[in-house]
């Protein structure tokens, strides 16, 4: 048989043969290909095919066979499309190839219009937890915002919350912690060491099954009222409560969970009465710098970071410190810079940004906009519209490999944000909805 190159398909095909199989490498499954020059005289080819099978005396059966073959071939592209979408969907969610059986199951769901079900099937793969979610959350836990860091309690808690469909608006306020269980050789969880989580990672623990839910109050000894989700994990404390003035915790919380850095939310119209003593009112001898620059961040930020007044990180002990009723000394650093500045008396916070331009962040009107401590501040931040949209934008970028870039993308993000809130802040469903949007036609 003579072979020729089909320039349209870049595959070898036998010349003169009406029907031939072509292996679709991208799909990993057999696909039937009919050259353009053969797409005429279907009924006559049915007779020819029947003759080859010894049915020459039964033209009616030959015509029927030809029709059935055409129907089978007509249905094949739809299946191929569903299978290629299933492959793409699984790759984006789990990051590893799916088994043929899983692809078959997902393709059947997609062909039937059940794309969300197909996405949930992909999330059954352990790599969604071991790799996708781990890399998704790891940059939130360090100032370099790198994913190349050891597993820690912050990341494990995010993974567990997604796996168990815990409402994600509690990520900044719940008394919650996930630790490993049933992993041989792993030391017990300790609030003063990351060895437990590093051992889980070194052992190749299946994070889909190895993580169990507990509370920070029972495992780390924090008062339940002092817990604030991932904000009071050891990893967060080590990265953002160490040294400084605790403003870093606020800045990175805004960056990681509201997708807004301080430069983006400056508002010089807010009253400066809660700006601390360590901020000069005339940097370089020019008070205009404070009134037009420094105050734009500090007037809103300092009243909010007061929520962290009782928190610190003890580097020598390697753990979070909480001193109920006692403001940490770091809040009085450089108090000679401007003696008439605000002196922090307790952990009461107020959200001055509920008014002014930052009202556009969409604060929850059912919340009071003030409170005591990190837990109530976490509820304030996670209750905002910006928090919900931020989670959706991060997931969209993670599974679509791009930021929302046009009107269609932005409309999809709007719809996903509404769905996120309507479905009890299910971040797992956000992954499913984002991935199904990006699987292609």
């Amino acid at each position: 048989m003579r072979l020729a190159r089909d320039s349209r398909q870049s595959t070898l095909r036998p010349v003169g043969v009406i029907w031939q199989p072509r292996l679709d490498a991208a799909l990993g499954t057999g696909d039937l290909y009919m050259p353009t020059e053969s797409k005429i005289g279907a009924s006559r080819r049915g007779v020819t095919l029947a003759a080859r099978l010894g049915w020459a005396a039964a033209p009616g059966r030959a015509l029927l066979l030809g029709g059935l073959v055409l129907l089978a071939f007509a249905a094949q592209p739809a299946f191929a499309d569903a299978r290629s979408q299933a492959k793409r969907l699984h790759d984006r969610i789990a990051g590893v190839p799916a088994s043929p059986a899983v692809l078959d199951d997902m393709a059947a769901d997609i062909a039937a219009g059940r794309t969300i079900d197909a996405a949930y099937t992909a999330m059954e793969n352990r790599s969604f937890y071991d790799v996708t979610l781990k890399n998704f959350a790891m940059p939130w836990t360090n100032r370099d915002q790198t994913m190349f860091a050891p597993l820690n309690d912050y990341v494990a808690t995010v993974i567990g919350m997604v796996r168990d469909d815990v409402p994600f608006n509690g990520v900044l306020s719940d008394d919650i912690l996930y630790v490993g269980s049933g992993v041989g050789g792993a030391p017990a969880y300790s609030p003063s060491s990351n060895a437990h989580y590093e051992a889980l990672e070194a052992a190749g623990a299946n994070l889909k099954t190895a993580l169990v839910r507990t509370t920070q109050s029972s495992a780390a000894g924090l008062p339940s009222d002092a817990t604030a989700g991932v904000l009071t994990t050891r990893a967060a404390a080590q990265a953002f409560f160490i040294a400084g003035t605790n403003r870093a915790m606020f800045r990175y919380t805004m960056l990681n969970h509201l997708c807004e850095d301080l430069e983006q939310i400056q508002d010089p119209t807010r009253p400066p009465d809660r700006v601390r003593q360590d901020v000069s009112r005339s940097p370089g001898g020019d008070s205009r710098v404070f009134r037009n620059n420094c105050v734009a961040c500090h007037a809103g930020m300092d009243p909010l970071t007061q929520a962290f007044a009782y928190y610190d990180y003890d580097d020598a002990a390697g753990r979070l410190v909480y001193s109920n009723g006692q403001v940490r000394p770091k809040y009085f650093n450089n108090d000679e810079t401007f003696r008439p500045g605000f002196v922090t008396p307790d952990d009461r916070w107020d959200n001055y940004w509920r008014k002014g331009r930052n009202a556009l962040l969409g604060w929850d009107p059912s919340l009071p906009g003030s409170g005591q401590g990190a837990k109530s501040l976490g509820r304030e931040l996670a209750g905002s519209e910006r928090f919900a949209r931020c989670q959706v934008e991060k997931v969209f970028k993670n599974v679509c490999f791009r930021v929302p870039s046009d009107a269609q993308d932005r409309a999809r993000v709007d719809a996903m944000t509404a769905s996120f809130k309507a479905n009890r802040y299910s971040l797992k469903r956000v992954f499913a909805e984002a991935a199904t949007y990006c699987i292609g036609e």
Side-chain angles (χ1 to χ4, degrees):
M1 181 183 296
R2 182 168 60 89
L3 298 178
R5 175 75 63 179
D6 186 337
S7 61
R8 294 162 301 170
Q9 299 295 333
S10 298
T11 57
L12 290 175
R13 62 182 178 84
V15 174
V17 177
I18 295 174
W19 308 103
Q20 85 254 12
R22 174 176 60 84
L23 182 65
D24 189 332
L27 302 183
T29 184
D31 182 23
L32 293 177
Y33 166 66
M34 180 174 66
T36 301
E37 61 268 26
S38 301
K39 294 179 181 178
I40 57 175
S43 62
R44 187 171 61 193
R45 286 199 302 275
V47 175
T48 303
L49 180 59
R52 292 179 180 176
L53 296 175
W55 293 0
R61 292 174 63 188
L63 288 173
L64 176 61
L65 174 62
L68 291 174
V69 171
L70 285 176
L71 286 174
F73 286 2
Q76 185 65 24
F79 176 77
D81 287 346
R83 193 171 177 86
S84 65
Q85 287 181 322
K87 181 181 184 301
R88 190 178 301 116
L89 180 61
H90 196 278
D91 288 349
R92 287 174 183 264
I93 287 178
V96 295
S99 68
V102 168
L103 278 184
D104 287 343
D105 186 46
M106 292 175 62
D109 278 338
I110 291 172
R114 299 186 299 268
T115 54
I116 293 295
D117 290 347
Y120 272 90
T121 297
M123 284 187 279
E124 288 299 307
N125 191 298
R126 62 172 289 184
S127 288
F128 174 64
Y129 304 93
D130 293 350
V131 180
T132 302
L133 286 179
K134 176 178 173 287
N135 291 343
F136 177 67
M138 187 63 73
W140 310 344
T141 71
N142 59 81
R143 298 195 189 205
D144 292 333
Q145 297 186 294
T146 178
M147 69 178 65
F148 301 108
L151 181 68
N152 55 56
D153 54 350
Y154 190 133
V155 173
T157 298
V158 171
I159 293 172
M161 291 182 72
V162 174
R163 183 197 67 188
D164 296 344
D165 241 349
V166 178
F168 206 69
N169 61 335
V171 72
L172 305 181
S173 60
D174 285 355
D175 183 4
I176 191 170
L177 179 71
Y178 279 81
V179 299
S181 177
V183 179
Y189 166 82
S190 169
S192 59
S193 169
N194 195 49
H196 172 73
Y197 296 97
E198 292 178 19
L200 295 181
E201 191 167 42
N206 182 347
L207 300 182
K208 178 187 173 185
T209 59
L211 295 177
V212 296
R213 181 175 177 174
T214 184
T215 61
Q216 294 177 33
S217 55
S218 62
L222 275 176
S224 183
D225 288 345
T227 61
V230 295
L231 301 185
T232 47
T233 57
R234 181 184 180 275
Q238 184 180 35
F240 309 127
F241 278 147
I242 190 170
T245 60
N246 284 355
R247 293 185 179 104
M249 177 61 81
F250 177 76
R251 183 215 169 185
Y252 282 95
T253 300
M254 293 294 293
L255 188 60
N256 294 324
H257 295 288
L258 275 78
C259 298
E260 302 283 357
D261 206 349
L262 295 178
E263 289 81 2
Q264 299 166 289
I265 52 176
Q266 294 184 72
D267 183 0
T269 68
R270 300 300 86 212
D273 60 306
R274 299 275 284 278
V275 179
R276 288 187 233 163
Q277 293 173 305
D278 62 336
V279 179
S280 173
R281 270 46 171 191
S282 56
D286 190 345
S287 62
R288 294 175 301 173
V289 176
F290 172 78
R291 291 198 302 268
N292 293 280
N293 189 4
C294 305
V295 74
C297 290
H298 284 281
M301 173 175 59
D302 283 11
L304 290 168
T305 56
Q306 195 171 328
F308 305 129
Y310 301 156
Y311 296 89
D312 207 342
Y313 181 77
D314 186 334
D315 196 30
R319 64 172 297 157
L320 172 71
V321 174
Y322 177 75
S323 53
N324 189 20
Q326 183 177 352
V327 177
R328 302 303 299 172
K330 61 171 60 180
Y331 274 72
F332 309 114
N333 288 351
N334 302 312
D335 57 353
E336 295 291 335
T337 300
F338 186 70
R339 292 295 295 178
F342 183 73
V343 179
T344 303
D346 53 31
D347 65 350
R348 176 185 171 82
W349 60 268
D350 291 279
N351 187 358
Y352 285 14
W353 283 336
R354 278 183 166 254
K355 297 181 179 179
R357 65 180 63 172
N358 288 321
L360 295 175
L361 295 177
W363 306 104
D364 185 349
S366 70
L367 295 175
S370 61
Q372 302 281 147
K375 183 182 287 289
S376 58
L377 176 63
R379 292 193 186 106
E380 173 80 348
L381 298 177
S384 68
E385 182 71 18
R386 191 67 190 98
F387 170 87
R389 189 176 183 88
C390 176
Q391 311 317 306
V392 170
E393 290 174 347
K394 290 184 298 185
V395 171
F396 186 103
K397 181 179 179 181
N398 182 270
V399 298
C400 297
F401 308 128
R402 69 176 195 275
V403 297
S405 57
D406 57 26
Q408 183 177 355
D409 285 353
R410 288 187 288 273
R412 181 65 173 182
V413 168
D414 289 342
M416 288 168 58
T417 301
S419 174
F420 180 43
K421 296 167 66 178
N423 286 283
R424 298 179 64 251
Y425 290 86
S426 170
L427 200 65
K428 181 183 286 189
R429 185 175 179 87
V430 174
F431 271 94
E433 292 183 1
T436 57
Y437 175 72
C438 298
I439 60 174
E441 297 295 330

